[in-house]
Amino acid sequence: MPDEILITGTSGFIGRHCAIAFARAGWKVTALDIRPAPEEVALCARVLRTDLADRRVLDDVRSGRFAAVVNQAGISSTVEQDRDLLQRVNVDAPVALAAACASSGARFVYASSHSVYGTFPRGTLIAEDAGADRCSGPLNPYAESKLRLDQEMARAPEHLNRVGLRYTNVFGSGEEQKGKMASILSQLLRQAAADVPIRLFADSLTASRDYVPVEVVARTCLALIDTPVPSGVYNLGSGAPVSFATLLEWSASFVQAPLAVQLVANPLSDRYQYWTGADLTKLRSVLPTLEHLDQDRIRRDARELFDEFRAGKP
């Protein structure tokens, strides 16, 4: 079995953490992105500055060089409206990469998204097989592209070992590069640490999101290479949604002072996920090492991230 892994999107938030985690675990890492590699990635990986459609990369995958490909590349903006661009980057390119994996026998692990479910009843956790009777489906072109990718993967050759991970709201160190696309948890903590007024949509105080630390995502991707699991798509989150009001309470306790909160109108109210929650039964059944997460664990990780922001780290 080859001892090298191809990880894409390594200049991004999750991809960077994956590259570091795999390198620390002893894998030879080839890190691919169209953007310059962060220093910590360049120090632990062979860097390729190109895109997924590069024929040389696809030939390398077909040759059997890699034991697996972990695809974290793609457009992650939930407000992107160019459907053709989303199709090329979020669907066509990963499909071509998966086809190369099918030729060589490499495992293919790729990033899907919890956004494919859209809206569903508050207080419930959604499973991967949820149909139109349980959830609305995608609320924006980004989510549509992720669902199309899952559908394409479901039609892939049976011999392709593939795992799609429907991430909930991933948070952690280094997320600031996502700007307005960063998790609301990270945005609130950063504002609180900077002692600036916190801006929230007026209708979102009772909204709740399912958060998962980026280190857990990276370790789960690593475990999926070491542990054979059936091909398919799996939820990856905490299964323990936290309300925005609770995030404000945490932030106030970290600051040890009342917070200034500005409530603004929500221009996306018809396309806004007011509740997310992942049912992890399927992934837990095939990956016994999957980490248990609850609100206490999310709070501890949130405190560590707040302390980073307070110390002035990026």
Side-chain angles (χ1 to χ4, degrees), residues 5-24 27-33 35-49 177:
I5 298 286
L6 174 64
I7 303 177
T8 72
T10 48
S11 295
F13 174 49
I14 300 175
R16 182 170 75 254
H17 280 272
C18 283
I20 294 168
F22 274 80
R24 287 175 176 169
W27 286 94
K28 293 180 181 177
V29 175
T30 291
L32 183 151
D33 204 300
R35 297 165 294 179
E39 182 180 2
E40 60 268 39
V41 172
L43 289 173
C44 71
R46 179 176 76 104
V47 173
L48 296 178
R49 190 172 176 184
Q177 68 185 62

Side-chain angles (χ1 to χ4, degrees), residues 213-233:
V214 67
E215 294 87 358
V216 172
V217 171
R219 286 193 291 267
T220 302
C221 289
L222 181 60
L224 288 169
I225 306 304
D226 296 331
T227 307
V229 302
S231 290
V233 64

Side-chain angles (χ1 to χ4, degrees), residues 9-89:
T10 48
S11 295
F13 174 49
I14 300 175
R16 182 170 75 254
H17 280 272
C18 283
I20 294 168
F22 274 80
R24 287 175 176 169
W27 286 94
K28 293 180 181 177
V29 175
T30 291
L32 183 151
D33 204 300
I34 59 174
R35 297 165 294 179
E39 182 180 2
E40 60 268 39
V41 172
L43 289 173
C44 71
R46 179 176 76 104
V47 173
L48 296 178
R49 190 172 176 184
T50 186
D51 62 26
L52 304 187
D54 191 319
R55 184 173 298 176
R56 294 167 299 177
V57 173
L58 296 177
D59 287 345
D60 236 8
V61 175
R62 292 190 194 96
S63 74
R65 174 172 185 160
F66 304 107
V69 174
V70 180
N71 182 47
Q72 304 291 357
I75 295 171
S76 60
S77 173
T78 59
V79 296
E80 177 61 60
Q81 296 299 308
D82 189 334
R83 284 183 164 82
D84 290 338
L85 177 64
L86 286 164
Q87 177 69 31
R88 290 196 304 274
V89 176

Side-chain angles (χ1 to χ4, degrees), residues 82-132:
D82 189 334
R83 284 183 164 82
D84 290 338
L85 177 64
L86 286 164
Q87 177 69 31
R88 290 196 304 274
V89 176
N90 285 3
V91 184
D92 297 342
V95 167
L97 196 55
C101 289
S103 296
S104 67
R107 181 169 298 183
F108 185 60
V109 177
Y110 70 93
S112 183
S113 171
H114 191 76
S115 66
V116 302
Y117 300 115
T119 59
F120 54 93
R122 183 179 180 84
T124 64
L125 301 180
I126 200 78
E128 294 84 351
D129 60 355

Side-chain angles (χ1 to χ4, degrees), residues 2-314:
D3 61 355
E4 190 168 357
I5 298 286
L6 174 64
I7 303 177
T8 72
T10 48
S11 295
F13 174 49
I14 300 175
R16 182 170 75 254
H17 280 272
C18 283
I20 294 168
F22 274 80
R24 287 175 176 169
W27 286 94
K28 293 180 181 177
V29 175
T30 291
L32 183 151
D33 204 300
I34 59 174
R35 297 165 294 179
E39 182 180 2
E40 60 268 39
V41 172
L43 289 173
C44 71
R46 179 176 76 104
V47 173
L48 296 178
R49 190 172 176 184
T50 186
D51 62 26
L52 304 187
D54 191 319
R55 184 173 298 176
R56 294 167 299 177
V57 173
L58 296 177
D59 287 345
D60 236 8
V61 175
R62 292 190 194 96
S63 74
R65 174 172 185 160
F66 304 107
V69 174
V70 180
N71 182 47
Q72 304 291 357
I75 295 171
S76 60
S77 173
T78 59
V79 296
E80 177 61 60
Q81 296 299 308
D82 189 334
R83 284 183 164 82
D84 290 338
L85 177 64
L86 286 164
Q87 177 69 31
R88 290 196 304 274
V89 176
N90 285 3
V91 184
D92 297 342
V95 167
L97 196 55
C101 289
S103 296
S104 67
R107 181 169 298 183
F108 185 60
V109 177
Y110 70 93
S112 183
S113 171
H114 191 76
S115 66
V116 302
Y117 300 115
T119 59
F120 54 93
R122 183 179 180 84
T124 64
L125 301 180
I126 200 78
E128 294 84 351
D129 60 355
D133 60 326
R134 292 278 331 273
C135 59
S136 69
L139 300 176
N140 54 57
Y142 162 78
E144 291 170 3
S145 73
K146 287 298 186 178
L147 182 57
R148 282 198 302 275
L149 177 57
D150 288 342
Q151 292 167 340
E152 290 289 341
M153 288 297 97
R155 292 191 285 268
E158 288 188 11
H159 66 271
L160 171 62
N161 187 276
R162 53 177 176 78
V163 174
L165 293 173
R166 288 178 173 168
Y167 304 144
T168 55
N169 292 260
V170 186
F171 76 97
S173 181
E175 195 184 352
E176 73 287 339
Q177 68 185 62
K178 295 177 65 177
K180 292 181 179 179
M181 292 298 108
S183 68
I184 189 65
L185 183 153
S186 292
Q187 293 187 49
L188 294 184
L189 292 178
R190 180 176 289 279
Q191 293 173 77
D195 294 320
V196 299
I198 291 177
R199 291 171 60 85
L200 272 179
F201 291 145
D203 62 354
S204 69
L205 284 175
T206 59
S208 296
R209 296 278 171 83
D210 184 317
Y211 300 98
V212 57
V214 67
E215 294 87 358
V216 172
V217 171
R219 286 193 291 267
T220 302
C221 289
L222 181 60
L224 288 169
I225 306 304
D226 296 331
T227 307
V229 302
S231 290
V233 64
Y234 297 85
N235 288 335
L236 178 55
S238 67
V242 182
S243 72
F244 289 18
T246 297
L247 293 182
L248 290 177
E249 291 174 5
W250 291 355
S251 298
S253 70
F254 301 159
V255 175
Q256 296 185 325
L259 299 176
V261 179
Q262 296 177 350
L263 299 179
V264 299
N266 185 351
L268 306 171
S269 59
D270 60 332
R271 292 171 284 143
Y272 198 75
Q273 282 185 299
Y274 291 92
W275 170 268
T276 64
D279 184 332
L280 304 175
T281 302
K282 184 179 178 182
L283 186 56
R284 285 198 177 108
S285 70
V286 299
L287 194 64
T289 59
L290 183 66
E291 297 177 51
H292 174 75
L293 301 173
D294 56 19
Q295 282 201 11
D296 288 340
R297 165 63 189 278
I298 301 303
R299 188 184 190 281
R300 288 197 300 273
D301 281 30
R303 178 58 198 249
E304 290 180 6
L305 188 58
F306 172 84
D307 289 342
E308 281 191 19
F309 293 153
R310 199 64 147 173
K313 294 182 180 180

